Amino acid sequence: QVQLVESGGGLVQAGGSLRLSCTASGRTFSVYAMAWFRQAPGKEREFVAGITWRGGTTNYADSVKGRFTISRDIAKNTVYLQMNSLKPEDTAVYYCAARGSVGQYNYWGQGTQVTVSS
């Protein structure tokens, strides 16, 4: 099992920045990739950004490219999501997720609320 704990959410004005953190514990050696997803009220959960744990390869949803940056600190077992130029439509609960080398993301954090006011 892998446990994920997020932090860093909050309320920010449009154009502002926030940094989310997600720390993994447990069988972290089994983690191949980690990602951030988000779910806004009345909408389905969507992929935001992902990173491979060893190689650091990243990918992003088109809606956040150029504004969000995902990174990781292997020594701290932590992945970050730096969010800049935030928009009201970025308002959502943000979830950290992890997966092994095959299959879907099957480990999830509890989520952290991000609210962007206009």
Side-chain angles (χ1 to χ4, degrees), residues 50-87:
I51 187 167
T52 59
W53 194 245
R54 296 285 185 267
T57 301
T58 60
N59 62 316
Y60 297 90
D62 288 343
S63 59
V64 305
K65 281 181 181 177
R67 300 188 299 122
F68 291 10
T69 302
I70 189 170
S71 62
R72 87 272 192 249
D73 185 329
I74 294 176
K76 295 182 179 180
N77 284 334
T78 298
V79 64
Y80 304 98
L81 185 67
Q82 178 66 43
M83 304 184 294
N84 298 328
S85 301
L86 282 161
K87 305 174 181 180

Side-chain angles (χ1 to χ4, degrees), residues 36-40 43-49 61 63-64 89-95 108:
W36 290 94
F37 290 75
R38 67 186 181 187
Q39 187 167 20
K43 295 187 177 181
E44 294 187 354
R45 186 168 56 194
E46 64 175 357
F47 171 84
V48 175
S63 59
V64 305
E89 51 263 45
D90 293 319
T91 295
V93 177
Y94 283 70
Y95 297 92
W108 295 86

